[in-house]
Amino acid sequence: MTPNGMLLIAVYFAVVLMLAKPIGVHMAKVFEGRRTLLHPIFRPLEVLTYKLTGVDETAEQRWTHYTFALIAFSAFSFLFVYFLQRLQGLSPFNPQEFAATNVPPDLAFNTAVSFVTNTNWQAYSGESTLSYFVQMMALTVQNFASAAVGIAVAIALVRGFARQQVTTIGNFWVDLTRAVLYILLPISIVAALFFCSQGVLQNFHAYTHVTTLEGATQIIPQGPVASQEAIKMLGTNGGGFFGANSAHPFENPTPLTNLVQIVLIFLIPAGLTYTFGVMVGDRRQGWVIFSACSVMFLAGVLVCYGAEQKGNPVLSKLGIETAATPGQPGGNMEGKETRFGIAASALFATVTTDASCGAVNGMHDSFTPLGGLVPLFNIQTGEVIFGGTGAGLYGILLYAILAVFIAGLMVGRTPEYIGKKIGQKEVKMAMIALLSTAFSILVFSAISSIVSFPSPGKGATGQPVARSYWNPPGPAAANVANSGAHGFSEILYAYTSGAGNNGSAFGGINVNTPWYNLTIGLAMLIGRFLFLIPLLAAAGSLAAKKRTPTSAGTLPTHGPMFVGLLVGTVLLVGALTFFPALALGPIVEQFLMNQGKLFSFLLFPILGV
Amino acid sequence: MMATTAQMPAPIQTPSLLPQKLRRSRPLFDPEILRRATKDSFLKLNPLKLAKNPVMFVVEVGAALVTLFFLRDAIAGRGLLGFKFQISLWLWITVLFANFAEAMAEARGKAQADALRKTKTDAVAKRFFAGGQIEIVPASQLRVGDVVLAEAGDLIPGDGEVVDGIATVDESVITGESAPVIRESGGDRSAVTGGTKVLSDHIRIRITSNPGETFLDRMIALVEGAERQKTPNEIALNILIAGLTLIFLLAVATLHPFALYSVRSAGTGAVPTIAVLVSLLVCLIPTTIGGLLSAIGIAGMDRVMQDNVLAMSGKAVEASGDINTLLLDKTGTITLGNRQAVELIPFAGIDELELADAAQLSSLADETPEGRSIVVLSKEKYGLRGRQVADHEAQFIPFSAYTRMSGVNIDGRTLRKGASQAIESFVRDLGGVIPKSFQETADRISRMGGTPLAVADGSKLLGIVHLKDIVKGGMKERIAQLRAMGIRSVMITGDNPLTAAAIAAEAGVDDFLAQATPADKLEYIKREQAEGRLVAMTGDGTNDAPALAQADVGLAMNTGTMAAKEAGNMVDLDSNPTKLVEVVAIGKQLLITRGALTTFSIANDVAKYFAIIPAMFMATYPALAQFNIMGLHTPRSAVLAAVIFNALIIIALVPLALRGVKYRPIGAAALLRRNILIYGIGGIIAPFPGIWAIDQLLALLHLA
Amino acid sequence: MLKHFGPAFRMTLFLTILTGLIYPVVITGICQVLFKDKADGSLILRDGRVIGSQLIGQSFTRARYFQPRPSAAGNDGYDATASQGSNVGPTSLKLFERVKTAAEQFRKENPQFRGAIPADALAASGSGLDPEISMANAEAQSARVAAARRIAVDQVRALVTRNIEKRRFGFLGEPRVNVLELNLALDRQWPVR
């Protein structure tokens, strides 16, 4: 680890810390319906929105109706995205004339689910699959919409704590509209212009054919990238315009844009911790969440950075420099960009999985096992380290509920958080949310580890067997690009990323088959809606409760003790759930790598080097 | 205020703050209880019963599964039988240990219930029927509204209200207190309980509850735990541990396919057997808390019972741990209940001796502690001997709530003493003058927490007796303790605000409610609750009933009326109002014990992973041996050691579950830090040496 | 539930038009005015013909050119329509063998080079389109390029030094050299007939 790398991390953290309060205050104002600096411009647009969509701004909703509205909106969003893809052959803004055949139903389903659930898992490569029209009208829209839905749910849950003895938790349509108009859109406009000024594309041209210096032909892609890039980071969506995502020089051309991109990832999630403090009337509560996130973030980034900078001992035997020198970054550069080097890549990988972003500026698949374990475990703990836009806050509040419930008993009172008694309903909802994620990660990974598809030919009883539609013949696990423990990590990461609505990948695995498209799609749906609906139910039950005033007998949730408790709960729950799986993936691979053991590609046995 | 003290005769009160306990408390491991519990722990293996406890049910299913596989392999003559046998044995032992914990807690209650039940059998009733004749019927035939006669030596056949007569009653079967109490018609002492015994005189009783619904029946059901319903927090905790069990079930079930993949890709090793997978599952699911949870709840109720408090539900005990505000009656709770005369203040021109004489004379017939203290003060300070009133033409005027004064008409003098306003109007009516210093002196005494008692001789106002409330010793420390627990104490008194403020300051309470009527009390409780606080109070009178019902925890005194007992959710058999503090502590202890064992249970899992995971995959990935930081001998000894540790920890923690984790009123933050250190960090560390030691022993004994 | 369908449909439509059409079109308009060159891909012209983009790496195999990092984009590398990394894991024999072969080739092509090979030189980039190499990588290739162009190695080194992109604000990113720009500069200074 170099002083320069550490400085980058420190500066990054300082910027996030400085921005958390102003953006947090702004969001609190927006959702409490107070006037902000943006009102002169966006208030008329907000009023127009309600007029056009027939929404009553003043009507409050119970949690059930809030949820119904959310589901209805997500359902229509899904249909829009699905059919826009399937009809892309007819669309304008399609200079490359990409056809609907590029997007078969299983892929269109997967992609639609992916963008509606804020996952942005991409089984396709953007530059060779989708028209500009689909990228804008389907994907960019959902980058806004799914992020706004996340923020709305978080705010609804915060209202559950802030309000007392009421039946309603806000109005979904109003929260959605305000999140887009006052938060996502203004910041995206500024960020998009900045990105473009640094070299990110923004045009509707056809791809440029060039003859290179050595006389070869190269086709340089074009498109409206900057406008999507801004919201892709800000909304913690992470779906790249191009296959290589933020590693692509047209998406993330310089170290400066790189810094801005990761700041954008944490901007809203970090701000929301402050918003939480403001809305519940005790800013210390917000800072506690912020601190817990910070501790986990810093620990994660240091482990990841350390592992990546240490590099791959197997390769250093071949005479490769793994130590950093003034002229080159050293470490494990496989899958990383020269301009970013080790520190910025490890930082990006940590941040993008702390949050549910999933954009990548380096290929996680080629990280060292320990370096890759950090992103994987980050997602498995529920992406609560600042987390996704809104999703991070409601995720960590779930852990706060659990921490308070388990440890809070030890002060001899029915556990309370923000003055609300944590009872059966809250615990039940938290457990459902936790279980649904664990279920979709573990069960789908387990099935794909062992399921096998028949080869065409004669079956056991002699009847003809057709080629399976779902996957190429043989084990589904054969879709991995690396054998052995690493191949298992690829499968595990795929479902982890889907269930966690992250979208990053150990990208070697071929997931563009109906089997993976369907199962990962289901994992994304479960991870999103069976996580978010229980929390809305908890919001409803919390809002109905009285707020107990604090006393010397109340569990204090505003000090370092609670930070430790919260961090401990997140890590322990995550570790206990996923340790067996991780032991057979990245953990054993790290031990093997240190011992210089390799997996041959074709056959499975471990080789010594 | 004088109203209560003037009531005759004074009830026989429990003499001290530390009541003589019922014979109910037995040593924790009484041999009879042990025997009973051991038997029950086998009966509880019935899967239908065990299904209520998801964690232990999973363990039982696992044990059955491993046993089946063991039998199958034994028949087929396959290897590793010793290992599989030991695993299945220890899994069954795990279930038995958990059953034993619950059975232990229940057995104590059942033994008590048996003792109570004996008093119930073959009681007969002397029932009046039309025409005033008496018929002898079995107690079980009595219905609400029947009137029965109970004479000296009779067992009272059912719960009821005295409609006529006065009698001394032995209630020791209920309270454990051998001193008899007086029961009489009318007022707050009219309730009698079935199963208690009349010692002298006779009373007529109107029966107020049907057979099977009497206080004794309820008490038996309560101590036996037959009607035990899970409390809200217990249900929530059950949801949590059931959820965790499901999560671990997922983690272990999916480990099989993951292992299959790994074995294939490494090309070596074997997939873990069912015995090993079940072992891992049982070690991971929270068996410690799952096995002890219901024992903790039952034992908590039992501890309340040992304090001679009958809690009508576990919910009430749990709620008492959450109390924010405690309403304490001043008289009898904060103060000794009888005020003492400490000073005589004559008005200008009145001789001190004259005042003392008048005060003493007017109090001669006054048997209240206040009255006696005036006689004593006059004697000691002014040398006035108590006189025989019989020597004079004396007519004593008893206290009445209407006149609010008492006195004597003697030798043509009308001596009166009483509340200052009452005497003031008495003197005025007779055309007397009120000295200017009167109000001033009365106020001064009030401000000091005393009660001014004016003394008049006809139209002449003589002076004021200063009656002082004596705050009970140790009260201030108790209140401070409550504050450290986060509980606000509020003093309720009928006194005027000035008096109340002074006593409040002396006792150190946080707030007080002066000149409180029952309606004020109810109002105060509602206001506190509206602000989100939980309120506890004690009460005994019928007019306390609404407030007792409204309060989150209402502790009724056993000496109180039936209405009060029914309104509250706890009855203190010792009728000691400060008992609430103990109940609060027990409620807190109950929650702390649950939290501590849950935390401990989950924290334990870390070490178990370190023991079992490398053992499982030693052949497939020898590199995982780096996780074997305990240096366990073989994969089999590692798995076995973890399972044995997991079982032993349950039985090791039974005493803690039954006694409860000690509660210290040191504030939530300090308490949390302490308990996290012991049960959280300790829970992570403890299993490492434990499993290591068991592994050493297994190797030594060649068991694995 | 049903009563939410109306607003849901209208809201989806409204947001699609606002954020899917108006927003990107307006941004495109502004960018085309303010940052036309960047917005169109930072294309580099030589003799009036586009020969590539400053930001997109292209393949160089000849000894007289500095060579970029290994690329996994497309079959032959540097296929800008198929950006991707190699996605080989750290314990993959495939990675080991690829690096081993590449290391041998690197040493063969750069016989003057001694010491450990710079980390980026044999590692495939994340995008497969990395336009840049590390300073040490450029230094390692300088002697070969100088020999191929029959010029002094110091001249090449000087050119490399002039083309170094330093860390932004002194700490952001890694110091590096843009391969296409460096090779263009080489051709400009020492044209090959």
Side-chain angles (χ1 to χ4, degrees):
Chain A
M1 297 199 261
T2 64
N4 209 67
M6 302 302 272
L7 182 64
L8 169 71
I9 293 166
V11 167
Y12 170 66
F13 182 66
V15 172
V16 171
L17 182 64
M18 273 177 354
L19 290 174
K21 185 175 168 179
I23 186 86
V25 169
H26 172 73
M27 287 191 286
K29 281 185 182 167
V30 167
F31 291 108
E32 285 175 346
R34 286 184 278 153
R35 208 174 157 75
T36 67
L37 286 175
L38 292 173
H39 269 67
I41 313 164
F42 286 97
R43 178 64 193 170
L45 192 54
E46 187 190 352
V47 173
L48 179 73
T49 310
Y50 300 143
K51 207 181 216 171
L52 291 178
T53 56
V55 168
D56 177 4
E57 188 185 357
T58 57
E60 284 267 325
Q61 294 168 331
R62 287 165 173 273
W63 81 264
T64 42
H65 280 279
Y66 202 96
T67 309
F68 287 150
L70 187 156
I71 291 173
F73 178 69
S74 298
F76 276 105
S77 296
F78 169 82
L79 293 175
F80 265 56
V81 180
Y82 181 84
F83 285 107
L84 279 172
Q85 291 177 87
R86 295 291 296 144
L87 300 172
Q88 83 162 339
L90 312 173
S91 72
F93 294 111
N94 188 6
Q96 295 310 115
E97 300 183 345
F98 290 129
T101 48
N102 284 12
V103 204
D106 62 295
L107 177 60
F109 162 79
N110 182 283
T111 305
V113 168
S114 173
F115 277 77
V116 169
T117 57
N118 197 258
T119 311
N120 296 32
W121 171 265
Q122 292 166 298
Y124 62 93
S125 194
E127 62 263 48
S128 57
T129 313
L130 296 179
S131 71
Y132 299 158
F133 186 77
V134 172
Q135 294 256 25
M136 296 187 320
M137 297 286 279
L139 306 190
T140 305
V141 173
Q142 285 313 310
N143 282 352
F144 280 96
S146 65
V149 166
I151 297 175
V153 173
I155 293 296
L157 182 57
V158 173
R159 286 195 190 110
F161 284 107
R163 295 178 172 187
Q164 42 182 341
Q165 292 179 290
V166 294
T167 52
T168 60
I169 54 171
N171 180 317
F172 173 73
W173 304 116
V174 173
D175 289 343
L176 180 79
T177 308
R178 289 186 180 159
V180 171
L181 294 184
Y182 295 100
I183 299 163
L184 298 174
L185 199 54
I187 301 175
S188 292
I189 290 170
V190 175
L193 294 177
F194 169 75
F195 284 145
C196 187
S197 77
Q198 299 297 302
V200 179
L201 302 178
Q202 186 67 27
N203 62 58
F204 296 116
H205 306 322
Y207 292 1
T208 310
H209 292 245
V210 302
T211 304
T212 68
L213 224 49
E214 288 197 342
T217 304
Q218 192 180 34
I219 301 170
I220 294 177
Q222 300 288 353
V225 182
S227 54
Q228 184 168 327
E229 197 67 20
I231 186 63
K232 162 196 148 193
M233 307 312 293
L234 180 68
T236 65
N237 297 282
F241 198 92
F242 302 111
N245 211 298
S246 280
H248 199 292
F250 275 161
E251 286 200 25
N252 191 6
T254 69
L256 182 61
T257 57
N258 190 62
L259 180 69
V260 173
Q261 293 204 347
I262 48 180
V263 167
L264 284 177
I265 295 178
F266 272 179
L267 185 63
I268 291 176
L272 276 173
T273 64
Y274 197 85
T275 308
F276 170 65
V278 173
M279 286 180 73
V280 300
D282 183 355
R283 291 173 194 225
R284 293 172 310 176
Q285 303 288 355
W287 284 121
V288 159
I289 303 276
F290 186 94
S291 308
C293 293
S294 303
V295 170
M296 292 187 279
F297 156 67
L298 290 171
V301 76
L302 290 180
V303 171
C304 185
Y305 179 30
E308 290 309 297
Q309 187 65 66
K310 192 153 174 272
N312 187 340
V314 176
L315 297 188
S316 61
K317 287 180 196 155
L318 296 172
I320 314 286
E321 184 65 78
T322 47
T325 63
Q328 57 89 50
N332 172 27
M333 279 299 284
E334 184 73 18
K336 296 187 181 65
E337 299 285 293
T338 309
R339 59 193 180 282
F340 306 137
I342 303 293
S345 300
L347 177 61
F348 199 112
T350 309
V351 171
T352 198
T353 50
D354 281 341
S356 70
C357 182
V360 295
N361 78 346
M363 297 301 129
H364 295 182
D365 209 354
S366 296
F367 272 34
T368 61
L370 188 56
L373 173 65
V374 171
L376 183 56
F377 189 61
N378 275 343
I379 308 173
Q380 288 175 339
T381 53
E383 292 151 328
V384 294
I385 307 171
F386 296 110
T389 48
L393 184 65
Y394 63 68
I396 195 120
L397 289 178
L398 175 153
Y399 280 104
I401 287 173
L402 283 182
V404 159
F405 184 76
I406 299 169
L409 281 174
M410 287 195 289
V411 305
R413 283 174 73 93
T414 305
E416 287 158 22
Y417 186 55
I418 319 286
K420 298 289 181 121
K421 290 219 181 300
I422 303 303
Q424 297 163 28
K425 179 127 188 214
E426 290 75 26
V427 173
K428 190 191 288 172
M429 293 305 152
M431 289 316 287
I432 291 176
L434 216 54
L435 256 170
S436 61
T437 321
F439 174 88
S440 46
I441 293 175
L442 291 172
V443 172
F444 286 121
S445 298
I447 298 174
S448 283
S449 299
I450 52 168
V451 73
S452 198
F453 296 92
S455 324
K458 292 273 202 297
T461 51
Q463 84 283 16
V465 174
R467 187 181 187 283
S468 170
Y469 161 76
W470 294 104
N471 209 51
N479 289 30
V480 300
N482 294 273
S483 59
H486 197 84
F488 176 64
S489 301
E490 287 184 354
I491 297 173
L492 184 64
Y493 199 109
Y495 290 105
T496 299
S497 176
N501 295 150
N502 186 272
S504 66
F506 272 16
I509 183 171
N510 170 24
V511 286
N512 193 6
T513 69
W515 167 254
Y516 281 100
N517 276 332
L518 177 75
T519 50
I520 294 173
L522 289 176
M524 292 188 280
L525 285 173
I526 295 172
R528 174 78 162 182
F529 292 104
L530 284 189
F531 196 93
L532 155 172
I533 294 172
L535 287 176
L536 281 174
S541 120
L542 287 167
K545 293 187 182 190
K546 276 185 271 193
R547 224 167 134 176
T548 316
T550 53
S551 72
T554 319
L555 169 76
T557 57
H558 51 69
M561 182 81 197
F562 190 68
V563 172
L565 206 56
L566 191 51
V567 171
T569 307
V570 171
L571 297 184
L572 202 62
V573 169
L576 292 180
T577 312
F578 296 105
F579 182 79
L582 293 172
L584 295 176
I587 294 176
V588 73
E589 195 192 3
Q590 178 75 24
F591 291 155
L592 290 171
M593 184 185 80
N594 288 341
Q595 294 176 352
K597 298 277 169 63
L598 295 178
F599 288 93
S600 94
F601 189 63
L602 294 173
L603 297 168
F604 279 164
I606 304 175
L607 305 171
V609 177
Chain B
M1 29 179 176
M2 290 297 280
T4 53
T5 54
Q7 236 170 35
M8 290 291 288
I12 295 160
Q13 296 220 329
T14 11
S16 72
L17 275 176
L18 290 168
Q20 177 200 350
K21 283 201 181 159
L22 261 182
R23 300 288 117 234
R24 288 201 194 100
S25 51
R26 295 162 183 263
L28 203 54
F29 292 102
D30 182 279
E32 184 206 323
I33 290 178
L34 275 178
R35 217 171 307 125
R36 192 175 200 143
T38 313
K39 192 182 113 201
D40 283 355
S41 38
F42 281 93
L43 293 178
K44 282 170 184 282
L45 284 176
N46 179 355
L48 291 175
K49 283 187 184 163
L50 211 57
K52 271 183 267 175
N53 182 341
V55 180
M56 293 326 291
F57 185 70
V58 168
V59 179
E60 186 172 41
V61 170
L65 209 62
V66 175
T67 310
L68 272 180
F69 274 84
F70 162 71
L71 291 174
R72 188 199 67 181
D73 291 356
I75 292 163
R78 268 179 242 167
L80 292 181
L81 286 177
F83 172 71
K84 282 171 194 162
F85 173 74
Q86 289 185 69
I87 291 284
S88 67
L89 185 71
W90 279 103
L91 293 180
W92 285 113
I93 290 175
T94 309
V95 185
L96 284 174
F97 280 176
N99 287 350
F100 178 75
E102 194 181 68
M104 273 292 291
E106 284 172 354
R108 300 164 63 77
K110 279 183 183 157
Q112 290 164 21
D114 285 352
L116 283 172
R117 211 173 267 125
K118 279 186 197 134
T119 67
K120 258 193 68 175
T121 47
D122 52 72
V124 289
K126 296 168 181 166
R127 183 167 67 181
F128 289 95
F129 66 100
Q133 284 155 298
I134 289 177
E135 57 175 353
I136 308 283
V137 295
S140 57
Q141 284 183 13
L142 292 178
R143 291 291 176 273
V144 172
D146 286 351
V147 177
V148 297
L149 175 71
E151 294 169 297
D154 288 351
L155 279 183
I156 294 175
D159 292 358
E161 204 163 327
V162 180
V163 288
D164 188 29
I166 177 165
T168 52
V169 178
D170 173 10
E171 294 194 338
S172 62
V173 61
I174 308 274
T175 63
E177 180 58 51
S178 53
V181 294
I182 286 176
R183 294 295 172 201
E184 59 175 339
S185 60
D188 285 350
R189 317 280 164 206
S190 63
V192 290
T193 312
T196 56
K197 195 174 186 178
V198 178
L199 293 180
S200 69
D201 308 296
H202 62 271
I203 42 177
R204 278 197 212 206
I205 302 160
R206 193 177 54 240
I207 297 297
T208 51
S209 57
N210 289 325
E213 297 163 13
T214 65
F215 192 70
L216 196 62
D217 289 315
R218 264 157 69 200
M219 192 161 156
I220 291 170
L222 279 170
V223 292
E224 199 171 33
E227 285 173 23
R228 200 179 93 84
Q229 283 180 332
K230 285 187 176 143
T231 58
N233 174 264
E234 196 178 346
I235 296 172
L237 196 53
N238 248 319
I239 293 169
L240 178 90
I241 60 182
L244 287 175
T245 304
L246 276 175
I247 287 179
F248 288 126
L249 200 59
L250 279 176
V252 174
T254 54
L255 190 53
H256 189 263
F258 294 165
L260 212 61
Y261 174 98
S262 302
V263 169
R264 277 183 199 156
S265 71
T268 169
V271 175
T273 59
I274 293 293
V276 173
L277 285 171
V278 170
S279 300
L280 177 63
L281 177 64
V282 169
C283 285
L284 292 179
I285 60 177
T287 46
T288 313
I289 182 66
L292 297 175
L293 184 55
S294 62
I296 295 169
I298 299 167
M301 290 285 282
D302 192 48
R303 280 200 299 281
V304 173
M305 211 92 72
Q306 283 172 43
D307 260 348
N308 252 1
V309 174
L310 266 194
M312 299 304 161
S313 69
K315 197 176 164 182
V317 178
E318 202 173 276
S320 60
D322 283 356
I323 292 304
N324 303 86
T325 307
L326 190 55
L327 303 192
L328 296 167
D329 277 326
K330 187 199 78 175
T331 310
T333 306
I334 292 176
T335 64
L336 283 173
N338 37 29
R339 282 160 292 193
Q340 310 276 322
V342 289
E343 194 187 0
L344 298 176
I345 305 159
F347 291 127
I350 309 287
D351 183 44
E352 216 173 328
L353 214 60
E354 187 187 352
L355 172 62
D357 181 59
Q360 194 184 44
L361 277 172
S362 67
S363 304
L364 281 177
D366 186 350
E367 283 301 319
T368 63
E370 288 86 348
R372 281 199 294 264
S373 78
I374 293 175
V375 175
V376 171
L377 182 74
S378 306
K379 188 169 79 183
E380 286 178 353
K381 204 166 169 189
Y382 303 100
L384 293 170
R385 294 183 46 80
R387 284 150 288 188
Q388 283 300 316
V389 275
D391 300 349
H392 302 264
E393 272 297 301
Q395 183 204 354
F396 290 102
I397 312 295
F399 178 86
S400 87
Y402 177 71
T403 60
R404 291 160 72 210
M405 56 189 184
S406 63
V408 61
N409 295 341
I410 188 165
D411 302 339
R413 294 162 74 191
T414 47
L415 299 177
R416 291 289 183 275
K417 70 172 203 304
S420 50
Q421 284 127 316
I423 297 291
E424 190 182 339
S425 53
F426 172 78
V427 169
R428 262 191 224 287
D429 287 350
L430 292 177
V433 252
I434 308 298
K436 257 168 87 182
S437 61
F438 176 75
Q439 196 57 44
E440 207 176 282
T441 313
D443 284 353
R444 185 171 57 81
I445 292 172
S446 292
R447 265 196 302 278
M448 291 188 303
T451 308
L453 204 62
V455 180
D457 183 353
S459 64
K460 190 161 77 174
L461 204 48
L462 298 176
I464 288 181
V465 181
H466 181 173
L467 290 176
K468 197 169 179 230
D469 255 329
I470 310 293
V471 173
K472 283 180 178 173
M475 206 23 133
K476 198 159 186 161
E477 291 71 27
R478 282 225 133 165
I479 304 270
Q481 246 180 25
L482 284 171
R483 201 172 296 114
M485 291 179 183
I487 299 172
R488 268 174 81 248
S489 47
V490 179
M491 184 180 85
I492 308 289
T493 173
D495 290 348
N496 64 55
L498 284 174
T499 313
I503 299 283
E506 196 179 335
V509 294
D510 299 283
D511 194 9
F512 64 88
L513 190 60
Q515 283 166 347
T517 62
D520 291 342
K521 224 161 160 176
L522 188 63
E523 227 14 77
Y524 193 90
I525 294 174
K526 284 184 177 162
R527 205 165 56 234
E528 287 287 300
Q529 287 174 334
E531 284 166 25
R533 298 194 180 92
L534 262 64
V535 184
M537 69 167 284
T538 60
D540 53 5
T542 300
N543 54 15
D544 281 333
L548 276 171
Q550 178 70 34
D552 300 279
V553 173
L555 180 63
M557 301 294 103
N558 190 47
T559 50
T561 60
M562 223 29 165
K565 286 201 239 179
E566 265 159 22
N569 41 20
M570 291 185 203
V571 177
D572 181 19
L573 302 175
D574 297 333
S575 304
N576 171 8
T578 50
K579 199 70 88 48
L580 253 183
V581 180
E582 267 97 42
V583 175
V584 166
I586 292 173
K588 287 190 178 296
Q589 210 182 14
L590 184 70
L591 294 171
I592 293 175
T593 309
R594 279 189 200 140
L597 292 186
T598 308
T599 308
F600 188 79
S601 196
I602 298 170
N604 267 207
D605 284 355
V606 175
K608 293 168 186 166
Y609 266 138
F610 277 90
I612 298 183
I613 292 290
M616 271 182 161
F617 297 104
M618 210 65 106
T620 312
Y621 289 132
L624 280 176
Q626 292 181 44
F627 265 133
N628 184 9
I629 55 174
M630 286 173 271
L632 306 179
H633 282 86
T634 65
R636 282 191 296 283
S637 73
V639 173
L640 201 50
V643 172
I644 294 174
F645 177 84
N646 190 57
L648 291 182
I649 201 79
I650 296 178
I651 203 77
L653 290 174
V654 168
L656 185 72
L658 296 185
R659 281 202 200 101
V661 171
K662 198 165 163 54
Y663 171 68
R664 294 149 201 270
I666 48 175
L671 200 59
L672 182 66
R673 200 172 308 121
R674 191 191 145 82
N675 286 333
I676 292 260
L677 211 65
I678 299 176
Y679 298 99
I681 309 293
I684 291 178
I685 297 168
F688 283 96
I691 294 173
W692 177 83
I694 295 171
D695 176 77
Q696 292 287 325
L697 204 63
L698 288 173
L700 204 69
L701 301 174
H702 301 288
L703 284 173
Chain C
M1 182 85 205
L2 284 175
K3 73 170 186 177
H4 298 294
F5 279 7
F9 179 76
R10 291 189 291 269
M11 191 61 90
T12 312
L13 200 64
F14 176 82
L15 286 183
T16 301
I17 290 164
L18 178 70
T19 62
L21 200 63
I22 299 175
Y23 160 71
V25 167
V26 168
I27 295 286
T28 308
I30 299 172
C31 289
Q32 286 293 327
V33 172
L34 292 181
F35 325 108
K36 170 112 182 90
D37 177 51
K38 304 262 188 185
D40 285 349
S42 311
L43 299 175
I44 298 176
L45 281 82
R46 189 167 73 170
D47 310 329
R49 280 188 23 243
V50 182
I51 53 102
S53 161
Q54 185 201 358
L55 295 176
I56 301 295
Q58 47 182 254
S59 182
F60 287 97
T61 53
R62 294 173 195 164
R64 66 170 189 266
Y65 287 125
F66 282 90
Q67 288 168 10
R69 300 175 57 187
S71 162
N75 293 331
D76 308 318
Y78 290 98
D79 178 348
T81 62
S83 62
Q84 63 173 327
S86 70
N87 283 323
V88 285
T91 55
S92 158
L93 186 67
K94 198 172 164 187
L95 171 72
F96 179 79
E97 283 176 347
R98 191 201 80 203
V99 173
K100 195 171 164 216
T101 314
E104 282 158 8
Q105 196 182 341
F106 191 89
R107 290 193 192 276
K108 206 168 83 194
E109 286 174 358
N110 301 287
Q112 305 88 338
F113 174 73
R114 299 276 180 277
I117 302 170
D120 64 309
L122 306 181
S125 64
S127 61
L129 303 174
D130 194 342
E132 292 149 340
I133 54 176
S134 70
M135 294 193 305
N137 189 352
E139 162 63 28
Q141 298 185 45
S142 293
R144 183 199 74 226
V145 172
R149 293 190 181 249
R150 298 199 188 87
I151 49 178
V153 71
D154 285 346
Q155 288 177 293
V156 176
R157 283 191 182 133
L159 189 72
V160 168
T161 308
R162 277 203 298 281
N163 274 277
I164 288 172
E165 174 91 35
K166 292 213 187 78
R167 288 191 166 111
R168 192 76 179 265
F169 311 129
F171 75 98
L172 269 184
E174 297 292 328
R176 58 203 186 272
V177 184
N178 186 302
V179 179
L180 178 57
E181 286 186 335
L182 180 60
N183 286 338
L184 275 171
L186 276 174
D187 276 1
R188 261 199 311 276
Q189 207 136 10
W190 299 287
V192 182
R193 285 158 303 278

